[in-house]
Amino acid sequence: SIKLIENNESILTEENDNLKQQNKNLQNQISSLNNEKSRLQAEISELNNSIQSLKEITMEQIRVILDLVNQLKEIIYEKIFSPTIQL
């Protein structure tokens, strides 16, 4: 009976040690995943900033293109239609 109790205690101690190790491994994995999450969040933030900058640059380019188109329209009007009107 005492041998059986000692044997059970030994099994429980071993099981407890295994569970402690598993717990430690899982805590390490959680820590690694949290670090990865933080790194990815920082990267996402950086990419969002880049996207915003590119949007602003694109809008400025569109404004410049529209301005050039308007200038071209004025030039075409002056060169083609103005002489016709003067006739």
Side-chain angles (χ1 to χ4, degrees):
S1 180
I2 292 177
K3 283 274 191 203
L4 184 60
I5 291 172
E6 287 175 355
N7 194 28
N8 283 344
E9 284 179 357
S10 175
I11 291 171
L12 289 175
T13 300
E14 189 178 323
E15 246 182 81
N16 193 36
D17 289 344
N18 286 339
L19 289 172
K20 284 180 183 176
Q21 186 59 47
Q22 285 179 9
N23 190 36
K24 185 178 175 186
N25 292 344
L26 288 171
Q27 286 175 344
N28 288 339
Q29 287 179 353
I30 288 169
S31 179
S32 293
L33 288 171
N34 282 331
N35 289 339
E36 180 72 2
K37 179 183 174 185
S38 294
R39 187 188 68 75
L40 289 171
Q41 284 175 328
E43 197 173 323
I44 287 169
S45 179
E46 193 176 316
L47 289 169
N48 281 334
N49 290 340
S50 295
I51 288 169
Q52 187 58 38
S53 293
L54 289 170
K55 281 181 182 177
E56 291 168 11
I57 290 167
T58 301
M59 291 308 294
E60 182 59 28
Q61 289 174 334
I62 289 171
R63 281 191 286 274
V64 168
I65 290 169
L66 289 175
D67 188 47
L68 290 171
V69 166
N70 285 327
Q71 289 178 35
L72 183 60
K73 283 162 70 175
E74 289 174 15
I75 291 170
I76 289 173
Y77 182 80
E78 289 173 13
K79 298 290 180 189
I80 295 177
F81 297 112
S82 279
T84 305
I85 291 172
Q86 289 173 1
L87 291 175

